[in-house]
Amino acid sequence: MSQSVNGLKQSELESLRTGSLKNRRFLLKSRPEARIDANTFEMVSEPIAELTEGQALIRTELLSLDPTNRIWVADVDQYMPPVQIGEVMRGLGLGRIVASKNPSLPVGRLVSGPVSWQDYNVADGTESWPFALVPDNVPVSVEDLAGAAGMTGLTAYFGVFEVAKAEAGQTMVVSAAAGAVGSIAGQLGKIAGCRVVGIAGSEAKCKWLTTDLGFDAAVNYKAPDWKQQLIDATPDGIDVNFENVGGEIMQFVFSRLNLRARVALCGMISSYNDPDDLKTKVSLTSVLMKRVRVEGFIITDFMNRFPEGSAKLIEWIAQGKIKTTSTIVEGLENAPEAVNQLFDGSNTGKLLVRVYPSPDTPTP
Ligand code: NDP
């Protein structure tokens, strides 16, 4: 079995050989009625069987926390099968190959893909959703590989350029603008030449958007006069809406859409914890009157163009044309509680859990 500086330690390899290497895993215990809580998952610790020919062992390093985690644990019609009770929680992120009996999955290489909420995955490359080798020497941080240059950035990229078809001189409004997707979408809108207005949940986030990220204006939707602020920030109406929130915010944005505006319907986070989905009701009269194009999209629609999108995002991040930030939570055990940061707005930029090295990993 191959080993390198990035592989398992000798004692861990021995545990793997004897079938006693432990894998902490979050299994879905019960479906939440509202927020994910202490009853939603159960953490178990299970041994990993010794690798067979063709298999590799991937240790999770960064786990991406996403609003869609909440959708995946709900028994509702969605774009993937819901996670079933007793199954390991689905999750995306970055891992490293730490032991291998497969030459195409060599020890030491970073991979991206469906790491799930667990310490380790066993893979052989024939999975329907395989791990992808991250090219060596990519000029961005691992946090950006898991965020702005990964699924998050790709969602913004294809949403802005392919779905919304943002054009120079137009006004673009982005909701959840200080979050992972929104902060990149707004900066891509600037690259496209739009006037970009963000909507976010605090004065500090709004200041970050305008001062650091170059948004033309930002509106704090928690301010009592936010609707008037949005009117003032969009004097020529709205041509492009990159919608992440739904509910009342989307409703008001719709009332300011221009003739032939485009809405890239990316997410509706305000309704994910609401079983009745009541808050998403939006008047479609303006869609009719203004001949608006509203298009929902799921990032997997663009799977065959990920290499193109990632290359562009990596280039812009490396050149400093796109600025990024992440909120990092330490330790897999904190994932269930941390996911709620997405719903109370305590994250800025990409929310990640650092699974390995964990804070208690001894430094060599
Ligand atoms: P974010 O990093 O944007 O985190 C979510 C943010 O949403 C929070 O920080 C919070 O910011 C805001 N928010 C939460 N609840 C509400 C609410 N009730 N009203 C207004 N704002 C709220 O997450 P992501 O960037 O990962 O995701 C953003 C959206 O994009 C989600 O809707 C998600 O489902 C969607 N998405 C869609 C994809 C696709 O393929 N279509 C792929 C990836 C994401 P604040 O402080 O401003 O309230």
Side-chain angles (χ1 to χ4, degrees):
M1 195 179 302
S2 48
Q3 201 186 347
S4 84
V5 281
N6 287 312
L8 292 181
K9 293 193 298 254
Q10 201 55 49
S11 57
E12 292 169 324
L13 274 173
E14 185 56 22
S15 303
L16 178 62
R17 202 186 57 74
T18 57
S20 59
L21 184 67
K22 289 289 170 51
N23 188 18
R24 293 174 305 158
R25 326 177 73 202
F26 275 110
L27 309 182
L28 182 61
K29 191 166 91 182
S30 64
R31 299 198 184 281
E33 291 288 316
R35 287 189 178 208
I36 286 171
D37 61 25
N39 293 317
T40 308
F41 301 107
E42 173 189 22
M43 189 189 246
V44 297
S45 183
E46 294 174 347
I48 300 167
E50 190 184 4
L51 299 184
T52 57
E53 250 357 274
Q55 289 185 326
L57 185 69
I58 296 163
R59 178 161 53 202
T60 308
E61 294 202 349
L62 284 173
L63 172 67
S64 171
L65 292 185
D66 302 282
T68 199
N69 295 155
R70 178 63 185 84
I71 299 176
W72 289 341
V73 297
D75 192 13
V76 295
D77 195 19
Q78 50 186 287
Y79 62 95
M80 276 184 176
V83 177
Q84 298 300 314
I85 302 291
E87 282 183 353
V88 67
M89 178 58 186
R90 185 184 294 140
L92 303 175
L94 288 180
R96 197 171 296 276
I97 302 170
V98 289
S100 182
K101 289 187 173 179
N102 182 332
S104 57
L105 294 169
V107 171
R109 287 292 295 271
L110 202 59
V111 293
S112 66
V115 292
S116 304
W117 289 26
Q118 58 185 348
D119 288 314
Y120 295 100
N121 284 266
V122 175
D124 63 10
T126 64
E127 295 79 12
S128 58
W129 186 355
F131 286 93
L133 292 175
V134 175
D136 285 329
N137 303 320
V138 183
V140 298
S141 66
V142 282
E143 289 79 8
D144 284 344
L145 284 173
M151 286 291 193
T152 294
L154 290 165
T155 304
Y157 181 89
F158 290 110
V160 169
F161 295 119
E162 294 297 326
V163 182
K165 300 199 190 309
E167 287 175 22
Q170 297 188 327
T171 298
M172 175 181 188
V173 167
V174 185
S175 55
V181 173
S183 61
I184 306 300
Q187 294 181 83
L188 295 176
K190 289 303 296 178
I191 288 173
C194 293
R195 170 180 168 75
V196 175
V197 179
I199 303 177
S202 73
E203 294 301 324
K205 286 186 176 181
C206 288
K207 186 159 182 285
W208 179 64
L209 293 174
T210 52
T211 310
D212 294 0
L213 302 194
F215 282 49
D216 296 282
V219 171
N220 174 6
Y221 71 87
K222 291 182 182 159
D225 65 340
W226 73 271
K227 290 182 179 170
Q228 187 57 48
Q229 284 188 39
L230 190 66
I231 293 171
D232 295 343
T234 56
D236 300 326
I238 297 169
D239 304 297
V240 174
N241 172 209
F242 193 105
E243 186 53 49
N244 286 320
V245 172
E248 195 190 350
I249 290 177
M250 180 173 171
Q251 184 126 21
F252 191 67
V253 167
F254 266 41
S255 73
R256 297 202 48 73
L257 292 174
N258 288 333
L259 194 64
R260 307 230 180 266
R262 279 96 53 217
V263 177
L265 193 51
C266 176
M268 314 274 279
I269 193 168
S270 66
S271 70
Y272 296 170
N273 283 316
D274 178 354
D276 298 329
D277 217 11
L278 288 174
K279 290 190 236 154
T280 59
K281 292 217 173 88
V282 163
S283 161
L284 293 178
T285 312
S286 47
V287 173
L288 171 64
M289 297 305 166
K290 302 285 176 56
R291 285 79 115 191
V292 169
R293 179 184 289 264
V294 182
E295 186 174 346
F297 71 104
I298 298 292
I299 186 52
T300 44
D301 302 344
F302 295 95
M303 194 96 88
N304 60 354
R305 292 181 57 195
F306 281 2
E308 163 205 332
S310 299
K312 212 66 213 158
L313 289 160
I314 287 169
E315 180 188 324
W316 284 329
I317 296 165
Q319 290 171 346
K321 287 188 182 161
I322 293 182
K323 298 201 176 88
T324 64
T325 194
S326 335
T327 302
I328 312 267
V329 174
E330 300 289 344
L332 177 66
E333 62 281 8
N334 294 316
E337 198 182 329
V339 78
N340 283 317
Q341 290 195 21
L342 297 164
F343 298 94
D344 64 27
S346 44
N347 70 306
T348 300
K350 181 71 202 140
L351 182 60
L352 296 167
V353 174
R354 196 186 315 280
V355 178
Y356 187 90
S358 61
D360 48 4
T361 302
T363 40

